Amino acid sequence: MNLLTKLEAIITPAVEENGIELYDLDFIKESGSHILRVFIDKEGGVDLNDCERVSHAVSDVLDEHDPIPSSYRLQVGSPGIERRLVKPEHFKRQIGQRVAIKLFAPHSPENDNEPESVTTGRKKFSGILTAYEDDKIVLTDIDGQVWTFDKKQVSACKLEQVKEPV
């Protein structure tokens, strides 16, 4: 079991006891320090009081189990407006929303009738998330082109806010 999976199993009950959802976890090394980032969410969003309550609960449970061998800082916060989509439930909740997708490798044309310039060499896509089923992400871009990606092709997917012209 990798560290993030172990942490999720330990932390989830403490988060849910506070009426909050554990949205995602990150354990990174930044500027020479380890940071455990706990992203939480609930209907209507989370506030500073939610973050503080969850931070205390998570800190207590981590102190009890001591799953991280090195020193680290704990940060608890919201996944934000342009949140990344990782789990199947994240994708399913955001169907109909605008997303930005980055692929590990350029997308290969699946249909030889598509113009080569449209499909060759692209690793970034933007549009409306129209479906998510069986680890397949379906996106419709601004031109109405429908793209289907296996989740394993995707290096990152996040909600995208439309910038209003000034």
Side-chain angles (χ1 to χ4, degrees), residues 23 53 71 82 85 88 90 95 103 118 123 135 140:
Y23 186 85
R53 262 192 351 270
S71 63
E82 291 191 346
L85 307 181
H90 297 166
I95 290 174
L103 304 177
V118 172
K123 289 175 69 174
D135 285 339
T140 304

Side-chain angles (χ1 to χ4, degrees), residues 8-163:
E8 186 171 358
I10 292 169
I11 292 171
T12 298
V15 174
E16 290 176 349
E17 285 172 8
N18 285 281
I20 309 281
E21 170 197 0
L22 177 61
Y23 186 85
D24 200 9
L25 290 174
D26 262 344
F27 187 66
I28 60 168
K29 189 169 188 175
E30 194 173 88
S31 302
S33 299
H34 287 95
I35 301 171
L36 174 60
R37 290 192 177 125
V38 178
F39 298 99
I40 59 173
D41 202 13
K42 70 177 184 183
E43 187 71 36
V46 294
D47 60 24
L48 191 56
N49 291 330
D50 294 324
C51 293
E52 186 177 350
R53 262 192 351 270
V54 169
S55 179
H56 289 298
V58 167
S59 183
D60 290 346
V61 84
L62 289 173
D63 287 347
E64 180 184 329
H65 292 333
D66 199 21
I68 302 173
S70 59
S71 63
Y72 63 93
R73 288 182 302 150
L74 174 64
Q75 295 178 349
V76 176
S78 163
I81 293 172
E82 291 191 346
R83 63 190 57 202
R84 65 185 186 179
L85 307 181
V86 181
K87 301 174 183 175
E89 57 267 25
H90 297 166
F91 287 94
K92 290 177 181 176
R93 256 189 246 147
Q94 301 303 331
I95 290 174
Q97 299 300 314
R98 187 174 179 86
V99 297
I101 292 177
K102 291 181 186 175
L103 304 177
F104 287 111
H107 189 62
S108 304
E110 294 177 357
N111 183 344
D112 291 335
N113 297 329
E114 294 299 323
E116 190 170 317
S117 62
V118 172
T119 56
T120 302
R122 282 183 66 186
K123 289 175 69 174
K124 295 181 180 181
F125 295 82
S126 181
I128 302 299
L129 178 63
T130 51
Y132 182 87
E133 192 70 38
D134 299 324
D135 285 339
K136 299 265 191 229
I137 301 164
V138 181
L139 175 99
T140 304
D141 69 17
I142 195 165
D143 297 322
Q145 176 71 39
V146 177
W147 303 91
T148 302
F149 309 103
D150 285 322
K151 190 170 181 291
K152 66 184 176 204
Q153 291 177 272
V154 177
S155 66
C157 180
K158 67 177 191 164
L159 288 181
E160 186 176 62
Q161 298 302 307
V162 178
K163 311 268 189 289

